[in-house]
Every structure is written in structure tokens, then in C-alpha cells.
């Protein structure tokens, strides 16, 4: 398997398989949403779009980066979300980088969204699919965010069947600029606990696949025994 690592702006062609990586925090939060019972996560194109979906579907749960805002129920923090009961709910997520990356890759036949908490499940799906090439969309820092790149490289190694020591990759992520900002409380709508939660390797046994459904980009959890999107 040949792996390509690109930033969102570098994604000029439609890949056969895209793995969109956002460790801190979009796809750690999405994984926690599924763990707390969410049925699906709608990846919104804009804050206005997310608000409009909430207006049409008052029972849907909206979340965003930054501080709380009218029309949004939650913020993009795993620590602040993990005790929320989302059983059977639709979650609408809008973030600065993660959701943007998935929407940029939406025309790919297979779009997986990943972070460390679902790393092995994601790698397992790639091994099952055995594509010749995979494009990893490194969403943070114009494709240079150390936590996202480290996670992408780790998943790529595991997808290729290598026995990879996760330690160096987790340490790179833990010493990243994003980790420092979250620890120091620089980012609004966050908790210092977010970093530790984002670095929990393989916390969940499912992967996450996104596809267009009724004009919306929808993320769903995929168990190892589930059929892959086509």
C-alpha cells in the first residue's frame, strides 16, 4: 500500500481512499459521540449550515469549536462530551479543520475519518480493503500538524501490516503545538483533559466512514464485521 500525506489545500485530485485525520479534536470527539450512543454524525459545511439543520431538526445535537454559542448544544471537547447521553441522536459537527477535510474528500469512493482512539480499527479496514494507494488528509496546520501527521503515519504503518511501536507517534502528538495549547487552556471550549483523551490509543473498536446521504456528509461507525461502503 502506497501512502500519500497531504494537507487539505493539497487535495486537488479525488483519491480512491481517503483517511481524514484530526486527532485534536474532531475525530476523537466524533468517536466519543458514537461511544455515547449517537446514531450518526453530520459533518456541516459552515456554522450557519449547522444552525439551519438545528432549526429544522430541534432534536439534533449541534457542536462546534470554541466557546458555547446560541444554537449549539455542545463544544468540540471529548472531556466535556464523554458524559453526555447521545443515545439514538444525530450529532451535527462543525470544526475548523476536521470537518473541512472530510468535505474536501467527499467524492472519494471511501472516506474514513480517524484519530488515535480508532487507529487500529481504521488500519484493519484498510488491510481488509487492501487498496493500492491511500491518501491521508492531514487536516491541522496546513497539513503539518504534528499530532495529525504522527497518527496518519502510524495508521499507514499498521495498515501495511507492520508491527509498529505506537510510543514514538504518541509522544510526537503529545508534544505538539495543539497539545500545548489545549493543556494551557489557550483554546476556548476545551478542557486540559482533552489531550489525554486524544492520546488514548485504540480506545474504541470501531472505525468511522463518511459518505454523502441526502446531500449531507454523514459519518457512521463501522464495526470490523460490517460491510464497507462502496
Amino acid at each position: 500500500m502506497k501512502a500519500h500525506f497531504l494537507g487539505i489545500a493539497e487535495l486537488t485530485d479525488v483519491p480512491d481512499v481517503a483517511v481524514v485525520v484530526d486527532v485534536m479534536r474532531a475525530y476523537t470527539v466524533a468517536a466519543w459521540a458514537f461511544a455515547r450512543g449517537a446514531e450518526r454524525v453530520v459533518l456541516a459545511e459552515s456554522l450557519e449550515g449547522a444552525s439551519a439543520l438545528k432549526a429544522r431538526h430541534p432534536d439534533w445535537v449541534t457542536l462546534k469549536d470554541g466557546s458555547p454559542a446560541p444554537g449549539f448544544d455542545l463544544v468540540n471537547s471529548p472531556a466535556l462530551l464523554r458524559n453526555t447521553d447521545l443515545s439514538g441522536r444525530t450529532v451535527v459537527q462543525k470544526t475548523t479543520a476536521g470537518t473541512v477535510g472530510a468535505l474536501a474528500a467527499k467524492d472519494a469512493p471511501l472516506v474514513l475519518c480517524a484519530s488515535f482512539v480508532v487507529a487500529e480499527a481504521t488500519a484493519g479496514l484498510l488491510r481488509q480493503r487492501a487498496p493500492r494507494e491511500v491518501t491521508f488528509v492531514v487536516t491541522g496546520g496546513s497539513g503539518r500538524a504534528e499530532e495529525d501527521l504522527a497518527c496518519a503515519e502510524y495508521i499507514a504503518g499498521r495498515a501495511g501490516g507492520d508491527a509498529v511501536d505506537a510510543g514514538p507517534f504518541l509522544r510526537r502528538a503529545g508534544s505538539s503545538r495543539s497539545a500545548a495549547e489545549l493543556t494551557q487552556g489557550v483554546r476556548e471550549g476545551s478542557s486540559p483533559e482533552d489531550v489525554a483523551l486524544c492520546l488514548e490509543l485504540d480506545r474504541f473498536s470501531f472505525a468511522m466512514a463518511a459518505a454523502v446521504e441526502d446531500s449531507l456528509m454523514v459519518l457512521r461507525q463501522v464495526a470490523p464485521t460490517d460491510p464497507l461502503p462502496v
Side-chain angles (χ1 to χ4, degrees), residues 36-207:
R36 297 299 299 147
E39 178 182 352
R40 61 179 186 164
V41 176
V42 174
L43 306 177
E45 294 189 11
S46 65
L47 294 175
E48 295 77 14
S51 296
L53 288 171
K54 177 69 173 181
R56 293 200 300 272
H57 306 279
D59 58 322
W60 289 9
V61 178
T62 47
L63 65 84
K64 61 179 280 294
D65 278 337
S67 57
F72 288 86
D73 304 294
L74 300 167
V75 293
N76 192 46
S77 162
L80 299 176
L81 175 112
R82 61 179 169 169
N83 294 320
T84 303
D85 183 5
L86 296 171
S87 299
R89 307 290 292 276
T90 292
V91 174
V92 180
Q93 185 180 37
K94 172 67 180 84
T95 70
T96 305
T99 58
V100 176
L103 288 162
K106 68 180 181 180
D107 292 328
L110 177 62
V111 180
L112 302 177
C113 295
S115 61
F116 279 113
V117 297
V118 294
E120 184 58 31
T122 305
L125 279 183
L126 293 173
R127 289 194 298 271
Q128 178 185 341
R129 190 70 170 242
R132 287 181 297 176
E133 297 188 7
V134 176
T135 296
F136 289 85
V137 183
V138 180
T139 60
S142 299
R144 304 296 179 265
E146 193 63 21
E147 72 281 3
D148 294 340
L149 185 58
C151 184
E153 291 174 350
Y154 174 74
I155 293 173
R158 291 294 299 130
D162 297 336
V164 183
D165 179 6
F169 298 91
L170 291 168
R171 286 192 289 274
R172 283 169 57 190
S175 60
S176 66
R177 177 179 177 179
S178 293
E181 290 178 348
L182 290 171
T183 301
Q184 296 163 7
V186 171
R187 298 187 183 185
E188 295 184 350
S190 66
S191 164
E193 295 178 76
D194 284 348
V195 174
L197 291 172
C198 290
L199 298 180
E200 286 189 315
L201 183 68
D202 303 330
R203 171 72 187 243
F204 306 114
S205 60
F206 55 82

Side-chain angles (χ1 to χ4, degrees), residues 202-222:
D202 303 330
R203 171 72 187 243
F204 306 114
S205 60
F206 55 82
M208 300 183 294
V212 177
E213 300 180 15
D214 298 325
S215 78
L216 298 175
M217 190 65 166
V218 176
L219 185 65
R220 295 185 182 273
Q221 62 176 318
V222 182

